[in-house]
Amino acid sequence: FLTEWINRTLKEEHIVVKSLEEDLYDGLVLHHLLENLGSLRLDVEKIALTEKKQRKKLSVILEVVAKCLQLEESQLKWSVESILAKDLLSTLHLLVAIAKHFEPTLALPPNVQVETITIEVTSGGLKTSNAVEYITENKENIEAQSKDDAFDELFSCDPDKLDAVKKALLEFVDQHVGKLGINVKDIESQFSDGVILLLLIGQLEGYFLNLRNFFLTPASTMEMV
């Protein structure tokens, strides 16, 4: 699926991938893929022939990917060394992450999993441990996320229940921003300029919002935006 997706995406550039391990490790295909999908301009050479240049190129590419995906280093399931070493598991994790971010509507096959066997050399000999690792999301989790939550269900019910929800939300908001001397009576009109929303977030999260960062009494649509 991923091989076909890459070839389809890079068809106009006449790039053909046959093996994910053999064709992606040097960064060339990843470079073209990111430029094509995200209109990113990477400050690295297109072709890196030496291992040193390939490592440097992959470092730049993976740094850009982590930044786009807003991932911390501890969240990454791949590295420069693992991609360079043609590690299939790392390559799959990287490609799935790129696909989900840049083409979220792509119908990746769910429940793809592999059993990994880790072999560790100890003083007493070889120690092995088995684990199941998901490459794509568990279908049951996806279906659970797609189901309406309690608020969605209430909003789809009759008007009386919706009014009850609005009343509960007003009381909740009033309870918190009331400490600032603000009285909230109408969700639609009083939330439209963003001021109460900002103050509410500040109260809930326990921090002070610098009044110079926004207009406390916006006088135009631009100031509201």
Side-chain angles (χ1 to χ4, degrees):
F1 184 94
L2 289 169
T3 302
E4 290 175 359
W5 168 64
I6 293 170
N7 289 336
R8 188 168 64 248
T9 304
L10 301 180
K11 186 178 180 180
E12 292 184 5
E13 298 183 47
H14 306 292
I15 291 176
V16 178
V17 170
K18 294 181 179 179
S19 166
L20 295 181
E21 301 101 302
E22 297 295 332
D23 296 339
L24 272 79
Y25 79 95
D26 61 359
L28 176 66
V29 174
L30 288 171
H31 190 164
H32 282 274
L33 192 62
L34 288 172
E35 285 194 338
N36 190 291
L37 291 171
S39 300
L40 301 170
R41 290 291 170 263
L42 304 176
D43 190 22
V44 285
E45 298 175 12
K46 284 282 186 185
I47 300 175
L49 297 176
T50 66
E51 187 177 319
K52 184 179 179 181
K53 287 186 176 181
Q54 289 167 356
R55 184 176 276 104
K56 183 181 178 182
K57 182 182 178 76
L58 280 172
S59 180
V60 173
I61 289 171
L62 297 187
E63 190 176 327
V64 169
V65 170
K67 191 174 180 181
C68 286
L69 274 57
Q70 298 182 329
L71 295 173
E72 300 291 334
E73 192 172 344
S74 60
Q75 297 174 289
L76 302 179
K77 295 181 179 179
W78 57 82
S79 66
V80 171
E81 296 304 322
S82 64
I83 300 297
L84 198 58
K86 305 179 184 179
D87 183 280
L88 180 58
L89 196 58
S90 295
T91 304
L92 288 173
H93 277 307
L94 174 61
L95 288 174
V96 168
I98 291 173
K100 283 171 62 180
H101 179 77
F102 291 104
E103 286 198 40
T105 57
L106 199 66
L108 284 165
N111 298 329
V112 179
Q113 62 187 49
V114 293
E115 184 178 0
T116 60
I117 304 171
T118 305
I119 303 173
E120 184 183 355
V121 180
T122 66
S123 56
L126 295 178
K127 180 185 176 184
T128 63
S129 58
N130 294 33
V132 174
E133 191 163 345
Y134 277 94
I135 305 296
T136 59
E137 288 181 306
N138 188 320
K139 193 174 182 180
E140 292 177 2
N141 292 341
I142 298 171
E143 289 174 350
Q145 290 170 8
S146 66
K147 289 181 181 178
D148 289 346
D149 61 19
F151 276 106
D152 290 325
E153 289 179 13
L154 283 169
F155 287 139
S156 65
C157 291
D158 55 76
D160 291 341
K161 287 191 177 180
L162 181 57
D163 287 339
V165 174
K166 288 169 68 174
K167 184 181 178 182
L169 288 172
L170 277 174
E171 289 175 357
F172 166 74
V173 174
D174 219 26
Q175 177 188 348
H176 292 282
V177 298
K179 300 169 187 174
L180 302 174
I182 298 172
N183 186 20
V184 182
K185 294 182 178 179
D186 186 85
I187 286 180
E188 287 91 340
S189 62
Q190 287 184 273
F191 270 81
S192 63
D193 60 10
V195 174
I196 289 178
L197 189 58
L198 283 171
L199 296 175
L200 177 63
I201 292 169
Q203 286 295 301
L204 293 172
E205 293 295 316
Y207 57 77
F208 175 74
L209 284 159
N210 195 320
L211 299 180
R212 288 179 297 179
N213 291 345
F214 68 100
F215 296 91
L216 193 59
T217 54
S220 66
T221 303
M222 185 59 72
E223 289 182 359
M224 293 178 190
V225 172

